[in-house]
Each structure stands twice: as structure tokens, then as C-alpha cells.
Amino acid sequence: QKDLELGPMECFQLLKLEQAASRIERTTDTIAEIADSFGFSSQFYFSRAFTKAYGLAPSRYRKEFQVGQATRPGGLIYRHHRLRNYLYENGPGKVIEAGGEE
């Protein structure tokens, strides 16, 4: 959590949102059912947190994902990591700077 510059609760919430995004993409469960299953106190609070993290409301994200207009960002929790400007390519552990060389 120190390297991510996030507190433990922020990390936990982002992980829950990533799992919830998978359910939004892969099921027809209602947003309220998904919010409840991940322990959010209300659909409103879940929608607000999801929109802050993904830039789209959950229902809009589902619609756009189904037609290929939205994609989930890889590793949402790592968006805050100090190495966020690097890409992992050419095998595990090979870090290449975006637009640069090994």
C-alpha cells in the first residue's frame, strides 16, 4: 500500500470495484445486486465509487462494454503506482519505459 500511495481501505475498495466490473461485464445481475454482493451500503454509493474509478456509471459501462465501446483499464489499483508510466512487455519482469527502450 505504501508503494501505491493508497491507504488499505482505498486498495480494498479498488479491488472490490475490479471484481464488480467483471460481474457487470459477464452477468445480467442488476447493479443493486452487484453493489449489495460487494458490501456497498447502497446502489448510489456503489455507482458513485464506480463512476469515480472508471469514468462511467455502472449501467452505462455495461452497455458500452457489450457493444465494444468501453474496456476495463488493466490493474485499476495500480493506476496510482509510481511505475504507472511503464509497460510490461517481452516477458515477465522486463520493464520497458513507454516509448523507450529496455
Side-chain angles (χ1 to χ4, degrees):
Q1 82 197 22
K2 183 179 177 185
D3 288 339
L4 296 175
E5 299 176 5
L6 296 170
M9 293 308 291
E10 292 168 302
C11 288
F12 182 63
Q13 181 164 335
L14 288 173
L15 288 171
K16 289 194 309 183
L17 288 171
E18 285 196 40
Q19 292 174 337
S22 288
R23 285 225 3 230
I24 290 170
E25 295 164 3
R26 298 174 186 183
T27 71
T28 57
D29 296 347
T30 68
I31 302 303
E33 290 171 333
I34 294 170
D36 184 57
S37 71
F38 286 99
F40 286 87
S41 59
S42 69
Q43 181 179 342
F44 172 79
Y45 180 66
F46 170 73
S47 293
R48 188 171 65 176
F50 190 93
T51 301
K52 182 179 178 186
Y54 285 91
L56 293 171
S59 56
R60 183 168 172 208
Y61 176 80
R62 175 179 272 161
K63 288 176 189 172
E64 291 190 12
F65 184 85
Q66 289 172 344
V67 296
Q69 292 180 341
T71 58
R72 184 165 19 132
L76 181 65
I77 193 169
Y78 296 105
R79 177 184 300 181
H80 301 284
H81 194 278
R82 58 190 160 94
L83 296 178
R84 67 186 169 274
N85 295 325
Y86 290 82
L87 301 173
Y88 293 86
E89 298 179 352
N90 298 332
K94 294 246 180 177
V95 179
I96 302 172
E97 185 172 343
E101 298 178 9
E102 287 187 348

